[in-house]
Amino acid sequence: MPTEEELINIRKEKRETLLKNNNPYPAKVKKHTKITEIRSNFQQNTINNQYVINGRVIAKRKMGKIAFIDIQDGSDVMQIQLSKEKLGTIFEIINLIDLGDFISVNGSLFKTKTEELTIGVEDIEIISKALRPPPEKWHGVVDPEIRYRSRHLDLISNKRSRQIAIAFSKTIQSIRNYLHSKDFIELQTPILQENAGGAAAKPFITHHNQLNQDLFLRISLELHLKRLLIGGFEKIFEIGKVFRNEGISYKHNPEFTLLESYEAYADYNDVAKMLKELIQFCAQEVVGNLEIKNGDHIINLAGEWEKLTYIDALHKFAGIDYLKIKEDKDLINKAKDLGIHISKNPSRSIILDEIMKKFVEPKLIQPTFIFDYPTEISPLAKKIDGNENFVERFELFILGYEFANAYSELNDPIDQRERMTEQAIKAKNKDEEIELIDEDFVEALEYGMPPAGGLGVGIERLAMLLMGEHSIREIILFPAMRTKETN
RNA sequence: GGGCCCGUAACUCAGCGGUAGAGUAGAUGCCUUUUAAGCAUUCGGUCGUGAGUUCGAAUCUCACCGGGCUCACCA
């Protein structure tokens, strides 16, 4: 018989024994005091005060006629003491309590010889009998596979995982607080869509039975939120999961949390200003500091952030003087010199973007805005007046990867239709799903959309930055994993 | 997808051609101030799976499964 089964059977027997007297899974438990509250209220005159605490047994030290148990609630850990002298036959319950059980105790506060604040138990009840043993107490669970697949065990044994989860929650909370303070309202748009647009990513496909129709899971929030601008809202945002059917890596998960905001009568310069404030606000709220350690880097979020145009960045980091390169073949040769892999019939923008990714982005460690992207790779952004090859778009880079993407939103329906058509043709030629024409969206645009600045931020990546974490799997509680075959 | 690494008890790990080990957790006994409690006894394994090499494989080889790091892909 496997060991684990034996351990479980022993606990099942204890459960049976408990059932003879009391239900070890009661619905109603006594009102309790948080452990942190007992500790922070502690003064000499709270000695002997009566408290009820509820929580999980994380350590048990029995020594004959006296026993100590460490109880952990959502706030902290506290030691309790059971003595045979005080409890009589009730003391025997110690033999039915295992690590991992939830118990409720009532007793009076005192200090042991070693000055440890302790509850002297007068009343004790098992309120949830655990059947499986918790992870080992010194090291806890360290195997990343167990940590990701069984996050409950990770959370039980690793404080850090809990801190990260809380930080992620605070990040979202502080984003909401900031945007609400700026009079944005939060709206919801559909996850199941007829067209998955607003970004260039492969969507997940699902099927609605009654409609007998395939639907896509959204890859961005953009097109629906813009329809709400058309409908008359002026400052809106959404925080929600999007789904991209692409590779999994330390910075990619198939589903992740995206913030998108749209502000009417603003342009991308306004958005850049807001984004900086937003991130500084989050950092202050979540870590209380604008200097963030991440690996070997110390990221300084304070003060002004560097701004470079796309063209200047290429010049500065890759030595590409775009304005002096007149012929496509000269650019192709430059790219080849840099060791960039060139597909057949590349356009200028695609080559530039390749160089950008390989030579510029990895060097942008401190917060850096890159402004004015090529039109060809930005089908939803407004062209710069008098310079049709570039659009009013910026991306924010920190730690060498993209944090945010924003533009002055394209609101000329004729231009929009042309640009989407170009993308569709290109996608068809390359047999890729880049972006199809969303007729409903373009038609909506024809009713008039106010000039607006839009923003998209990957929240997990923001949390990674703030928490100094290198892997998105540390941020996402249940990261995508391959199904494990059971032998 | 390529390269490198990992998979041994429920958990954390050692062992790396010659009888499968430790600590934690569990069980039993002793123990009224412990807190990684202690002491003693004890239970617990298809060494990820499958083939191969070998007198002999946890150990060497190959394939597969799962995971990690990294490169590539990915707006």
Side-chain angles (χ1 to χ4, degrees):
Chain A
M1 193 193 287
T3 311
E4 191 176 15
E5 213 170 310
E6 281 173 6
L7 291 173
I8 291 169
N9 280 337
I10 288 164
R11 285 166 177 252
K12 280 182 178 167
E13 280 164 26
K14 290 177 182 175
R15 174 183 170 276
E16 290 297 327
T17 307
L18 287 163
L19 271 172
K20 284 173 193 153
N21 295 312
N22 285 301
N23 179 9
Y25 303 95
K28 206 179 174 82
V29 295
K30 294 195 190 92
K31 207 168 172 310
H32 68 289
T33 307
K34 268 167 62 174
I35 289 171
T36 40
E37 205 175 303
I38 298 174
R39 287 198 190 283
S40 59
N41 288 344
F42 172 74
Q43 317 225 321
Q44 273 321 309
N45 64 11
T46 63
I47 289 280
N48 292 327
N49 274 10
Q50 287 286 126
Y51 290 107
V52 173
I53 58 178
N54 295 336
R56 169 181 271 130
V57 173
I58 59 164
K60 201 176 118 180
R61 296 177 290 280
K62 192 194 162 193
M63 45 197 57
K65 298 187 184 66
I66 194 174
F68 294 93
I69 288 175
D70 291 340
I71 298 189
Q72 182 174 54
D73 71 5
S75 69
D76 201 356
V77 178
M78 179 160 274
Q79 174 172 274
I80 64 167
Q81 186 206 55
L82 286 72
S83 90
K84 191 165 189 173
E85 190 185 0
K86 218 192 266 179
L87 294 171
T89 54
I90 294 171
F91 182 75
E92 301 305 320
I93 198 172
I94 188 73
N95 297 317
L96 297 173
I97 292 174
D98 286 301
L99 303 190
D101 293 353
F102 282 86
I103 62 176
S104 177
V105 302
N106 181 11
S108 53
L109 195 62
F110 74 103
K111 271 192 171 180
T112 62
K113 278 207 296 215
T114 50
E115 294 286 295
E116 170 99 15
L117 219 45
T118 303
I119 299 279
V121 173
E122 286 154 31
D123 216 7
I124 181 163
E125 189 186 5
I126 294 177
I127 56 176
S128 182
K129 181 73 201 159
L131 295 185
R132 290 173 185 270
E136 191 252 11
K137 66 181 173 187
W138 300 352
H139 314 86
V141 173
V142 298
D143 181 346
E145 189 170 353
I146 299 177
R147 291 186 49 235
Y148 299 154
R149 285 187 197 275
S150 301
R151 188 65 88 174
H152 48 283
L153 295 181
D154 180 36
L155 289 165
I156 286 172
S157 64
N158 297 313
K159 228 180 194 162
R160 173 72 180 163
S161 297
R162 183 185 170 85
Q163 286 170 347
I164 291 173
I166 291 169
F168 184 73
S169 173
K170 272 192 189 163
T171 303
I172 289 182
Q173 189 62 46
S174 54
I175 291 170
R176 289 208 163 101
N177 288 346
Y178 175 85
L179 289 170
H180 283 305
S181 79
K182 300 286 175 189
D183 297 323
F184 280 78
I185 62 169
E186 181 171 10
L187 299 169
Q188 299 281 327
T189 63
I191 290 172
L192 295 174
Q193 307 185 341
E194 291 168 42
N195 295 299
K202 294 190 187 96
F204 288 90
I205 303 172
T206 186
H207 185 80
H208 188 282
N209 289 339
Q210 194 190 334
L211 297 176
N212 189 23
Q213 173 189 343
D214 283 344
L215 292 169
F216 299 97
L217 274 64
R218 67 185 176 190
I219 57 174
S220 85
L221 316 175
E222 179 147 359
L223 301 184
H224 281 82
L225 286 174
K226 281 182 180 171
R227 290 201 227 180
L228 298 174
L229 284 180
I230 294 163
F233 289 110
E234 294 181 345
K235 295 174 116 184
I236 56 177
F237 75 100
E238 179 170 5
I239 293 173
K241 284 282 182 75
V242 298
F243 308 85
R244 298 186 178 181
N245 203 341
E246 287 171 357
I248 296 175
S249 78
Y250 71 94
K251 54 179 173 177
H252 297 270
N253 194 67
E255 56 178 302
F256 64 96
T257 313
L258 186 62
L259 159 71
E260 286 196 23
S261 72
Y262 293 86
E263 180 178 1
Y265 318 118
D267 70 0
Y268 72 151
N269 289 305
D270 300 313
V271 175
K273 209 177 289 174
M274 182 183 88
L275 174 62
K276 179 163 152 294
E277 251 184 57
L278 171 66
I279 290 181
Q280 288 173 339
F281 180 80
C282 286
Q284 227 24 288
E285 292 288 304
V286 177
V287 292
N289 200 341
L290 293 180
E291 285 197 349
I292 313 256
K293 196 176 172 331
N294 195 304
D296 297 333
H297 302 292
I298 292 182
I299 304 300
N300 183 10
L301 297 174
E304 287 307 305
W305 295 354
E306 189 167 4
K307 287 182 184 175
L308 283 171
T309 66
Y310 193 89
I311 293 304
D312 287 345
L314 283 168
H315 190 215
K316 180 172 175 183
F317 293 101
I320 302 285
D321 193 345
Y322 182 76
L323 298 177
K324 285 193 184 152
I325 298 174
K326 301 286 184 217
E327 298 289 326
D328 284 5
K329 66 175 196 313
D330 294 336
L331 184 60
I332 291 172
N333 286 335
K334 275 268 185 195
K336 280 182 179 161
D337 288 347
L338 289 167
I340 301 281
H341 176 75
I342 304 287
S343 58
K344 49 191 177 228
N345 304 324
S347 67
R348 286 177 87 99
S349 307
I350 299 293
I351 298 169
L352 290 181
D353 212 45
E354 288 292 319
I355 297 171
M356 197 71 189
K357 278 190 209 156
K358 259 227 161 96
F359 289 90
V360 182
E361 293 180 8
K363 290 172 185 152
L364 306 176
I365 303 300
Q366 295 298 328
T368 306
F369 290 112
I370 302 293
F371 273 78
D372 301 343
Y373 277 66
T375 304
E376 191 189 338
I377 55 171
S378 315
L380 298 163
K382 189 175 285 191
K383 289 171 186 164
I384 293 171
D385 274 343
N387 189 359
E388 301 250 305
N389 291 326
F390 292 88
V391 293
E392 292 198 359
R393 170 186 178 185
F394 74 80
E395 289 192 359
L396 172 66
F397 291 88
I398 306 175
L399 287 167
Y401 53 81
E402 179 192 338
F403 262 80
N405 183 14
Y407 18 95
S408 301
E409 302 295 340
L410 176 54
N411 62 345
D412 174 351
I414 303 289
D415 191 3
Q416 182 68 83
R417 184 181 292 280
E418 283 171 5
R419 309 250 297 267
M420 281 186 164
T421 305
E422 276 170 33
Q423 294 290 326
I425 290 168
K426 234 176 273 166
K428 210 173 171 187
N429 288 342
K430 287 209 287 184
D431 203 26
E432 279 171 16
E433 296 175 56
I434 294 203
E435 193 145 359
L436 302 173
I437 303 174
D438 184 332
E439 285 298 338
D440 288 344
F441 170 68
V442 179
E443 185 186 309
L445 259 194
E446 289 170 358
Y447 286 94
M449 185 176 90
L455 169 69
V457 182
I459 310 292
E460 284 85 2
R461 287 191 181 177
L462 177 57
M464 281 164 71
L465 166 72
L466 296 179
M467 293 308 289
E469 287 294 332
H470 171 70
S471 171
I472 200 167
R473 291 186 200 109
E474 294 296 338
I475 306 295
I476 293 178
L477 285 168
F478 299 98
M481 299 284 265
R482 196 182 295 273
T483 302
K484 205 173 186 179
E485 281 180 31
T486 44
N487 302 337

